[in-house]
Amino acid sequence: RGTRAQIHMEDEPPPSQEVSVKVLEATLLSALKMLDVGKWPIFSLCSQEELKLIRQACVFGSAGNEVLYVTENDEVFVLGMNCSGCLGTGDVQSTIEPKRLDSLCGKKIACLSYGSGPHVVLATEEGEVYTWGHNAYSQLGNGTTSHGLVPCQVSTNLVNKKVIEVACGSHHSMVLTSDGEVYTWGYNNSGQVGSGSTANQPIPRRVTSCLQNKVVVNIACGQMCSMAVVENGEVYVWGYNGNGQLGLGSSGNQPTPCRIAALQGVRVQRVACGCAHTLVLTDEGQIYSWGANSYGQLGTGNKSNHSYPTTVTVDKDRVIEIAACHSAHTSAAKTQSGQVYMWGQCRGQSVVLPHLTHFACTDDVFACFATPAVMWRLLSVEPDDHLTVAQSLKKEFDNPETADLKFLVDGKYIHVHKVLLKIRCEHFRSILNNDDEIIEMSEFSYPVYRAFLEYLYTDNIRLPPEDAIGLLDLATLYRENRLKKLCQQTIKQGICEENAIALLSAAVKYEAQ
């Protein structure tokens, strides 16, 4: 910086230097926003220049050989095999060069799903629905059974409705509107359209019966079944049930929506369907699974099918995302701490319990382990780099550049901010003075005190159960009741034969459960 200032004083730098700085900044910014599609083989057909511009993508098809992607200026491109005209280019020619879909350019795509034919269903941010591809079972919802070679808007019964979510089974389609209504169409041999009959449904039809007065918040399709989560956390299911994938305790097909009674008292937030198995995520971050299990995709430790919901234990962490895809027997989940687990079919092997991967997102599980390697959702770059207050505070913990106070514990410094400590903790409010710069702490160990200070910035604790006893001691001393509960939770989750007696005596000492 100093040199730069001197150059300015002597004379202005040549314009080229200014330009290169701007180019560098722009490159860094676009790298931050670039979609990471490196693990999906079909993108090897695109140049680095093209890859840099991609903001949304979906790899689909019976072998993961088709892809649709959207660039930063809202242009839509496709490439691949083009089975049944599923690329929407107006013909059935395959292409290894990206082709632009003019009719979709500029329409901001909100969500996309695809069937086995394949047929494609997408919704725009405006809530319009477009379909194309395989149509032997009326799964395009246009009243015909002719394949659709170009994207066409589906408006029958959806006029003035804003569609916010789409889902496809093998050969049927389902959409969710902003007012919580569900519409289905297409193949109905097992009742997957939910109309009460097994006749194929050529145009969108609202799913009623016991969903009539319910507000649906999430939908999913297995190959030949359909699921809906309603506002109060109940799950309704219909369609094919030969593997128990409806979770009703039976294997009979269900032609109209039926509530899963076994989930009584559990509030479900999301549902995800594999080929013939189902996962749900509750508001407490717990997973239940049921259905086919020949590859261990239920995560129960065996390969027996289950027709009732069974809990899946993913470490001791709270789960925030579940993933499955109707063309695969693979399951994935992401925890609150960002760890990604997978189970089920993994490149021909069967993984019967949740296995910790080295991935940062569930999408990579499907790129690397699923057969075929297709996406379970439209992959999107998060354009928002705004940090919330909580995220900003989290980043500042132990930051020597902004801190105005240091704790010296076991010979190591922990950098903090007086004002935050006073806001967050009664104890510090009473003891901190404005002229304090370094405070020595000998009552507690470094891991314990660091965990406590970090808790004030993050509301979470990260430390092994043995250290949590020390933190429990601190929480008791500082009268931090919420922290006390978190410590109890950590200790409870970490009890094993080796530490049970030590933990019990600690519980007695601190009057903890």
Side-chain angles (χ1 to χ4, degrees):
R1 279 180 189 160
T3 329
R4 184 72 192 272
Q6 284 168 351
I7 292 174
H8 268 283
M9 280 157 61
E10 286 159 22
D11 69 58
E12 284 297 305
S16 63
Q17 201 171 321
E18 285 288 2
V19 171
S20 66
V21 170
K22 284 203 173 90
V23 168
L24 183 65
E25 281 175 4
T27 310
L28 286 171
L29 277 172
S30 75
L32 285 173
K33 286 198 303 196
M34 201 175 136
L35 195 58
D36 177 19
V37 291
K39 295 184 178 72
W40 299 90
I42 192 163
F43 281 106
S44 312
L45 291 169
C46 297
S47 69
Q48 280 304 309
E49 284 60 44
E50 285 166 326
L51 292 178
K52 278 180 192 158
L53 301 175
I54 298 176
R55 294 293 170 269
Q56 288 174 305
C58 189
V59 175
F60 63 101
S62 56
N65 286 336
E66 275 101 2
V67 64
L68 173 147
Y69 65 85
V70 185
T71 62
E72 60 182 5
N73 47 6
D74 280 323
E75 289 188 306
V76 180
F77 291 90
V78 288
L79 68 91
M81 290 282 293
N82 204 13
C83 299
S84 309
C86 68
L87 294 184
T89 52
D91 54 41
V92 287
Q93 286 295 305
S94 63
T95 173
I96 58 169
E97 293 279 327
K99 283 190 179 175
R100 195 167 69 174
L101 286 190
D102 290 331
S103 63
L104 292 179
C105 290
K107 297 202 188 286
K108 295 187 185 314
I109 298 175
C111 50
L112 179 150
S113 188
Y114 53 85
S116 310
H119 74 287
V120 180
V121 178
L122 72 75
T124 66
E125 282 180 13
E126 310 268 88
E128 298 174 341
V129 177
Y130 291 85
T131 63
W132 66 94
H134 193 276
N135 196 31
Y137 305 97
S138 302
Q139 61 263 50
L140 299 187
N142 59 17
T144 76
T145 50
S146 314
H147 293 340
L149 301 182
V150 292
C152 278
Q153 190 177 348
V154 179
S155 50
T156 313
N157 297 338
L158 293 177
V159 179
N160 300 328
K161 295 285 176 191
K162 181 182 180 181
V163 168
I164 55 168
E165 200 177 340
V166 298
C168 294
S170 268
H171 303 292
H172 75 288
S173 308
M174 175 156 70
V175 300
L176 172 64
T177 66
S178 56
D179 50 6
E181 295 176 351
V182 174
Y183 291 79
T184 54
W185 60 90
Y187 198 31
N188 194 29
N189 66 333
S190 308
Q192 58 265 50
V193 164
S195 59
S197 79
T198 51
N200 293 349
Q201 177 62 40
I203 53 171
R205 173 195 173 278
R206 186 171 170 208
V207 181
T208 50
S209 70
C210 55
L211 282 184
Q212 180 73 54
N213 300 311
K214 307 274 186 195
V215 174
V216 174
V217 293
N218 177 226
I219 55 172
C221 293
Q223 284 215 312
M224 296 193 294
C225 64
S226 306
M227 317 258 163
V229 179
V230 301
E231 217 172 17
N232 67 359
E234 294 174 339
V235 182
Y236 288 81
V237 295
W238 60 98
Y240 183 70
N241 193 27
N243 307 93
Q245 55 263 64
L246 298 188
L248 301 172
S250 64
S251 60
N253 296 349
Q254 185 63 39
T256 54
C258 182
R259 183 173 69 84
I260 300 183
L263 290 172
Q264 181 75 37
V266 172
R267 280 186 79 100
V268 169
Q269 285 184 331
R270 307 282 305 168
V271 59
C273 295
C275 177
H277 77 287
T278 308
L279 307 172
V280 294
L281 177 63
T282 73
D283 62 343
E284 292 181 348
Q286 171 81 53
I287 301 177
Y288 289 84
S289 67
W290 60 88
N293 199 22
S294 49
Y295 295 92
Q297 61 264 47
L298 299 186
T300 53
N302 58 42
K303 293 188 191 177
S304 310
N305 291 2
H306 288 266
S307 59
Y308 279 114
T310 313
T311 54
V312 182
T313 309
V314 178
D315 198 29
K316 299 174 181 68
D317 208 349
R318 188 190 172 100
V319 173
I320 56 167
E321 181 178 276
I322 51 171
C325 172
H326 76 73
S327 56
H329 306 283
T330 304
S331 304
K334 185 176 183 175
T335 67
Q336 200 158 23
S337 59
Q339 292 184 312
V340 172
Y341 289 80
M342 71 77 55
W343 58 99
Q345 193 176 25
C346 173
R347 293 201 154 255
Q349 294 189 55
S350 300
V351 178
V352 297
L353 283 168
H355 170 74
L356 177 60
T357 69
H358 53 271
F359 300 137
C361 63
T362 53
D363 306 277
D364 287 353
V365 168
F366 291 83
C368 299
F369 298 153
T371 311
V374 290
M375 293 188 179
W376 70 275
R377 60 174 167 188
L378 177 69
L379 192 53
S380 299
V381 177
E382 290 301 325
D384 192 7
D385 48 12
H386 168 76
L387 292 179
T388 62
V389 174
Q391 289 165 331
S392 304
L393 292 179
K394 218 180 226 176
K395 268 182 63 182
E396 292 308 308
F397 171 65
D398 203 15
N399 179 358
E401 287 185 13
T402 58
D404 57 359
L405 177 66
K406 288 189 280 199
F407 280 93
L408 183 59
V409 192
D410 297 345
K412 293 183 224 170
Y413 284 120
I414 308 167
H415 301 85
V416 291
H417 307 75
K418 285 179 213 166
V419 63
L420 186 126
L421 266 46
K422 286 181 178 177
I423 290 170
R424 295 278 287 148
C425 175
E426 188 70 47
H427 169 75
F428 287 129
R429 220 165 300 166
S430 54
I431 66 146
L432 281 183
N433 298 313
N434 288 339
D435 46 0
D436 288 336
E437 281 183 17
I438 297 179
I439 297 179
E440 284 192 46
M441 169 56 59
S442 53
E443 293 165 77
F444 297 99
S445 69
Y446 175 80
V448 166
Y449 213 71
R450 184 185 167 87
F452 166 58
L453 292 172
E454 190 172 7
Y455 160 77
L456 296 179
Y457 282 74
T458 63
D459 264 335
N460 287 315
I461 60 169
R462 291 189 304 180
L463 80 177
E466 291 71 21
D467 285 332
I469 295 179
L471 191 55
L472 184 60
D473 193 10
L474 185 153
T476 311
L477 183 67
Y478 289 1
R479 294 200 183 93
E480 287 284 334
N481 287 334
R482 185 175 175 275
L483 180 58
K484 205 170 164 176
K485 281 193 186 121
L486 281 178
C487 293
Q488 289 178 26
Q489 231 173 318
T490 302
I491 293 166
K492 190 174 166 184
Q493 288 168 345
I495 294 177
C496 59
E497 287 174 18
E498 288 75 25
N499 62 18
I501 301 299
L503 295 180
L504 174 64
S505 53
V508 173
K509 179 178 172 187
Y510 301 118
E511 296 177 1
Q513 279 188 349

